[in-house]
Amino acid sequence: MSVSDENLAELFEQYKDEVRETIGTLDNELVAIEQDPSSSETIFSLFRHMHSLKGSSKMFNVDNIAGIAHRLEDLMSMIDKNNAILTKHPKIIDLLFKGNDIFRDIIAKLEDDISYTTMTADHAAFVGEIQAQIEKINRRDSQLVDSARKLVEDLEAFLPSMEETEVEHLKKDIQELNNGLAIVTLEEEGANQIRFNYNGADLTDDVRAMENMLAKFKDGKAGPEDGRAFVASADHLYNSLADVATEDAMSLIAELGDGLSLFSERGLEMDQMMVEFFAAMLQELKEKFHVEVETPAVKASGPSKSQASAKEPQVKTIRVDEAKIDLFLDSVGKLITKSEILNHLQFSFRQAGIDTGLLRDFSTVSRTISNDIVNLQRSIMEVRQVEMNNILKKFPRLVRDISHKIGKEAEMVITGERVPIDKSLLDDVEQAMVHIVRNAVDHGLEKPEEREAAGKPRRGTVNISVTPEEASIFIEVADDGRGLNLEKIKSKAVERGVLAEEQLPSLSDKDAAMLIFNSGLSTKDQATDLSGRGVGMDVVMTNLKKWNGDVLVDNHPGRGLSVGLRLPVTNTLLTKEAIMLRVGSSTFCLPLEFVNEIVTVPGDAVHHHKDGAVFRHRDMVISVIDLKGLLGLADDEDLAAAADIPLDGEEGLKSGVKENAIFIILRGKTDSRQSIRADEILGQQKIVIKEFELETFRKLPYFNGLTLLGDGRVVLILDSEKLLDS
């Protein structure tokens, strides 16, 4: 099969996507196995992924990936049989990481050169490294076995010259050692070849059944039926031994019986202590008490692990050009606008006195069309969305590589990876997060010795949490390091010309922390390939502004730093219910999700307080955001009647509110109790939020898009969050 065949081009693209997915999974599993080398489940998963990678690559004649994966599969097969190998040979992890990086490099080069499928000299050299490691493992184990065998031969040669009493004890020890050597040797070739016999009783089936079920209990995969099956096998083993055991085995048999009684009394609940107890008992049975080993003909083997394990559900996917989805979304947006025109016509028909029956039928059809269009739009929006895990899964490997490079110990904790986000935002979000995470490890976390001196664990932690909000998502990257040195940041800001010396006394800690996002400002005296050039955090701010996002910094000196990113779920059109309001001579939309309550307040209940207007509502003091002043709107003379409320500098208002006033109490992230004044509420309708296309409009501070009304007017949409921050 040739990947140059045009008919296979689409399949080859799917293959590359699958390899990229596997590479990301391998990164995370390698990080996990490095932290816990005893995890049999993760080890087998690595083995299975290597096997799949080899198979799919062979199918498309990508020989370099297939060849490397094949040798890594051999290595993982050895580890799967004995995960203690990882502890004895810790450099295996680095070898596996290196192999995964080579896979990533090959896939990247295949994008430009479809013929990059053969083994290069570097690839062959890496395969040689793998082979050398495999031989090293085999050599070490075989040397131990050979040394033990030579010891047995020397002892047997020495037996004739010994006293009879000494000979009996030594023969017993030699028999035990021979049994152990036979078990080790045969387990390397295949456990199914081992037969356990004791004084003529065949114990093989019971021993194997108990071993298999103990493995299930250890991995937490056992069910109630496994507990009953375990007792049945252990009871049979106990009775078989009791019938044929010699005197020196009775204490062990009694101990096994006591363990079974305790296990039954506890309702067949197998905890870790019980697992270790029965595992130790089996080990003694196999080696200490003359369990014999035979090597009969190899039986037909049962299903392999990969065959026995349950298949993961397969999700069928199709590849669709993103531009086609955008075009479809735009068409849906136009349909929603047409639906609002129908609503506008319905209102006009009612005003014109059209027959009630016809009007009712028209209303029913209009409402049905509107609901169908909204459902259609919601479905296609979900097509554009992907889970945050698409980028988050890359960060454990990033943290691992950086910490190893600079001599630190760090781990990553991730929550919220299933939160959806628009695919078009992924690249910019990932780029911003890479800089934040890199700074957290390089700048934030201390060296292990420093952490211990400060009473912290040697290993630092970087947490990423993703939380969905009403119209946005909040991504927080927090570390438990040293936090920001604000005095050093201020000094660097003055040195770089970002701030003037005289500005420092009035600079708050919050504003000082935000200085890290200025281009060219770094607290490092010397630049490295990781940081120190002062451009990383500037990239964060640039990317967030591009999507109308926000950055929040929470600094805890000596305890860590938290950087939060708030950005919209999507950059494409959204449908929302909104209220239409008139402020002065202008009309605006305000999404209903940001409205807590609409109240009418008597003019004499609005009072001046410090530098703003307030009124009392339900035993709460509600402050008034000066919307007209913020937006520079005309018709300001009617804002406050009962008090002298300054609007712009010292000029203030020439007159105030003489009649009842309408206030919209906004819903903030906290109990902000703030409101905006509306001269008139024009009604409620469904709107399509469209992003500003021109950069000039994106700079408008208190708006997050525009919408087209049913009567053809274009109306700006107020940004509640930015109004509250004002």
Side-chain angles (χ1 to χ4, degrees):
M1 182 180 291
S2 171
V3 298
S4 60
D5 189 339
E6 292 183 4
N7 295 327
L8 295 176
E10 186 173 348
L11 286 174
F12 189 60
E13 289 300 316
Q14 291 179 12
Y15 158 77
K16 289 189 290 184
D17 287 342
E18 289 172 3
V19 173
R20 292 188 191 97
E21 182 71 24
T22 300
I23 289 169
T25 302
L26 287 173
D27 270 342
N28 287 342
E29 290 182 339
L30 288 172
V31 171
I33 204 64
E34 187 174 42
Q35 296 174 358
D36 181 16
S38 64
S39 175
S40 300
E41 186 176 345
T42 308
I43 289 172
F44 176 63
S45 182
L46 284 166
F47 169 71
R48 181 170 53 83
H49 281 113
M50 289 297 177
H51 180 76
S52 299
L53 200 57
K54 177 191 73 174
S56 59
S57 299
K58 280 186 174 181
M59 184 183 300
F60 287 96
N61 292 335
V62 185
D63 296 333
N64 40 21
I65 292 182
I68 294 171
H70 178 62
R71 296 310 288 153
L72 288 175
E73 180 191 13
D74 291 342
L75 182 59
M76 288 310 307
S77 178
M78 297 176 69
I79 298 169
D80 187 40
K81 292 176 183 176
N82 179 14
N83 57 13
I85 290 174
L86 279 176
T87 306
K88 297 175 185 176
H89 304 274
K91 289 189 176 181
I92 289 176
I93 296 292
D94 293 327
L95 203 63
L96 292 167
F97 272 118
K98 184 177 179 180
N100 210 31
D101 288 338
I102 291 174
F103 295 149
R104 186 178 284 109
D105 177 68
I106 292 172
I107 287 296
K109 288 180 177 176
L110 279 172
E111 290 295 323
D112 301 321
D113 182 7
I114 201 172
S115 64
Y116 190 74
T117 58
T118 55
M119 296 280 283
T120 66
D122 289 340
H123 297 160
F126 178 64
V127 169
E129 288 183 55
I130 303 170
Q131 184 60 35
Q133 183 64 65
I134 291 173
E135 291 174 359
K136 183 178 180 180
I137 295 169
N138 285 331
R139 185 166 60 251
R140 179 172 179 176
D141 291 343
S142 62
Q143 284 175 347
L144 290 174
V145 173
D146 290 344
S147 298
R149 288 190 186 282
K150 189 173 188 308
L151 176 61
V152 170
E153 290 172 2
D154 292 341
L155 287 172
E156 288 177 336
F158 192 65
L159 286 178
S161 63
M162 298 181 67
E163 296 289 335
E164 187 174 343
T165 54
E166 295 174 328
V167 168
E168 288 301 317
H169 287 292
L170 192 54
K171 281 184 176 180
K172 179 180 177 181
D173 293 337
I174 290 173
Q175 180 62 45
E176 290 173 12
L177 186 54
N178 268 322
N179 287 340
L181 289 172
I183 291 171
V184 170
T185 304
L186 287 173
E187 282 184 341
E188 289 298 318
E189 298 171 359
N192 290 330
Q193 296 185 35
I194 304 173
R195 305 294 300 176
F196 297 97
N197 294 276
Y198 184 76
N199 285 352
D202 189 349
L203 311 174
T204 306
D205 292 340
D206 292 329
V207 170
R208 285 288 168 233
M210 290 177 67
E211 284 179 332
N212 292 336
M213 282 179 281
L214 283 173
K216 277 189 176 183
F217 284 120
K218 184 177 180 181
D219 294 337
K221 297 178 179 178
E225 68 280 2
D226 291 307
R228 291 188 291 271
F230 179 84
V231 169
S233 296
D235 269 336
H236 191 270
L237 178 65
Y238 172 83
N239 293 326
S240 299
L241 284 171
D243 290 340
V244 297
T246 56
E247 186 176 349
D248 59 354
M250 296 307 295
S251 61
L252 177 62
I253 296 171
E255 192 176 354
L256 176 61
D258 291 340
L260 286 171
S261 298
L262 178 61
F263 183 52
S264 299
E265 289 171 3
R266 296 174 61 176
L268 305 184
E269 289 184 9
M270 181 77 76
D271 57 16
Q272 191 61 35
M273 183 183 72
M274 294 296 295
V275 170
E276 292 175 0
F277 168 80
F278 285 117
M281 296 293 295
L282 279 176
Q283 189 62 30
E284 288 193 66
L285 286 170
K286 289 193 295 183
E287 295 181 12
K288 186 174 182 180
F289 288 95
H290 307 290
V291 177
E292 299 170 1
V293 182
E294 298 177 353
T295 55
V298 179
K299 297 180 181 180
S301 60
S304 66
K305 283 186 179 179
S306 57
Q307 293 169 329
S309 60
K311 291 185 178 180
E312 297 179 359
Q314 297 295 315
V315 178
K316 294 184 178 181
T317 60
I318 57 173
R319 298 172 63 88
V320 181
D321 189 341
E322 195 172 336
K324 292 180 180 178
I325 297 178
D326 290 340
L327 183 62
F328 189 80
L329 266 175
D330 189 54
S331 299
V332 172
K334 291 176 182 177
L335 284 175
I336 294 171
T337 302
K338 298 295 191 298
S339 175
E340 288 303 318
I341 292 176
L342 291 178
N343 291 335
H344 184 72
L345 286 174
Q346 180 182 332
F347 176 77
S348 300
F349 292 162
R350 185 179 292 111
Q351 293 294 102
I354 288 181
D355 179 73
T356 306
L358 288 175
L359 186 61
R360 185 175 58 251
D361 293 342
F362 182 87
S363 175
T364 301
V365 172
S366 174
R367 186 166 56 252
T368 302
I369 291 173
S370 177
N371 291 338
D372 289 345
I373 292 172
V374 169
N375 290 334
L376 179 63
Q377 189 236 8
R378 187 177 294 115
S379 298
I380 199 66
M381 285 294 294
E382 290 177 357
V383 173
R384 281 190 60 91
Q385 292 182 340
V386 294
E387 292 180 351
M388 278 294 297
N389 192 48
N390 281 270
I391 55 177
L392 295 182
K393 64 185 179 182
K394 303 175 184 178
F395 286 97
R397 171 70 190 276
L398 177 67
V399 168
R400 182 259 181 195
D401 288 350
I402 295 174
S403 58
H404 279 220
K405 188 171 187 177
I406 59 180
K408 295 183 179 181
E409 295 181 17
E411 65 178 347
M412 167 138 283
V413 178
I414 297 174
T415 56
E417 55 266 52
R418 310 283 298 188
V419 174
I421 185 175
D422 194 300
K423 188 175 183 295
S424 61
L425 300 176
L426 277 184
D427 289 342
D428 286 336
V429 173
E430 180 181 357
Q431 190 179 27
M433 290 181 65
V434 164
H435 289 293
I436 297 173
V437 171
R438 185 181 292 161
N439 274 15
V441 180
D442 192 21
H443 288 278
L445 298 183
E446 309 93 335
K447 295 278 188 180
E449 299 76 17
E450 295 177 52
R451 293 181 63 84
E452 285 185 328
K456 297 181 178 181
R458 282 180 60 87
R459 177 173 294 184
T461 303
V462 179
N463 287 279
I464 296 181
S465 62
V466 186
T467 307
E469 296 179 345
E470 289 179 341
S472 58
I473 62 172
F474 185 70
I475 305 169
E476 183 182 46
V477 181
D479 65 73
D480 63 349
R482 57 173 65 92
L484 294 176
N485 185 334
L486 297 182
E487 293 305 316
K488 189 171 184 178
I489 290 173
K490 292 176 185 178
S491 175
K492 286 286 185 180
V494 173
E495 180 186 320
R496 300 281 183 178
V498 176
L499 284 178
E501 188 79 38
E502 55 271 19
Q503 292 178 279
L504 294 181
S506 61
L507 193 68
S508 68
D509 286 350
K510 180 180 178 181
D511 291 336
M514 292 298 292
L515 289 173
I516 61 175
F517 296 101
N518 281 273
S519 179
L521 194 149
S522 175
T523 55
K524 275 206 168 183
D525 298 320
Q526 214 168 17
T528 67
D529 58 347
L530 284 177
S531 59
R533 295 178 176 82
V535 296
M537 300 305 276
D538 177 47
V539 170
V540 174
M541 185 62 76
T542 301
N543 286 358
L544 267 291
K545 284 183 177 179
K546 178 179 177 182
W547 303 117
N548 295 318
D550 295 319
V551 181
L552 305 173
V553 177
D554 191 9
N555 183 43
H556 303 281
R559 293 184 289 122
L561 176 70
S562 169
V563 179
L565 311 178
R566 179 171 284 111
L567 63 158
V569 177
T570 178
N571 71 319
T572 52
L573 61 89
L574 285 173
T575 305
K576 293 184 181 295
E577 290 291 334
I579 60 170
M580 313 298 300
L581 61 144
R582 180 178 64 82
V583 180
S585 58
S586 302
T587 301
F588 301 104
C589 281
L590 180 64
L592 204 58
E593 65 194 63
F594 300 126
V595 176
N596 191 64
E597 192 176 359
I598 300 175
V599 297
T600 301
V601 181
D604 58 3
V606 182
H607 303 284
H608 170 59
H609 176 70
K610 293 184 179 179
D611 58 349
V614 297
F615 61 89
R616 183 171 290 277
H617 176 65
R618 294 181 182 174
D619 296 326
M620 295 186 298
V621 176
I622 311 293
S623 61
V624 180
I625 298 169
D626 181 12
L627 188 59
K628 290 186 178 180
L630 288 173
L631 303 180
L633 300 176
D635 194 19
D636 293 331
E637 64 274 10
D638 58 352
L639 184 62
D644 181 19
I645 306 173
L647 177 64
D648 188 8
E650 299 178 354
E651 291 296 322
L653 296 173
K654 297 179 180 178
S655 62
V657 178
K658 298 181 177 63
E659 300 176 352
N660 291 345
I662 301 170
F663 291 97
I664 303 170
I665 301 175
L666 301 176
R667 180 181 292 122
K669 297 179 183 64
T670 59
D671 191 10
S672 58
R673 298 189 178 99
Q674 296 186 72
S675 67
I676 57 175
R677 162 85 187 279
D679 293 321
E680 184 181 2
I681 302 297
L682 302 175
Q684 175 183 332
Q685 74 171 64
K686 194 179 276 81
I687 63 169
V688 176
I689 299 177
K690 301 206 71 173
E691 187 188 38
F692 294 122
E693 295 183 0
L694 297 177
E695 185 64 30
T696 304
F697 287 109
R698 288 183 181 177
K699 294 178 181 178
L700 291 174
Y702 302 110
F703 303 99
N704 63 1
L706 53 86
T707 189
L708 183 65
L709 301 184
D711 57 7
R713 285 181 295 160
V714 176
V715 176
L716 294 172
I717 301 168
L718 291 169
D719 188 328
S720 175
E721 294 179 1
K722 291 181 180 176
L723 287 174
L724 290 171
D725 292 339
S726 68

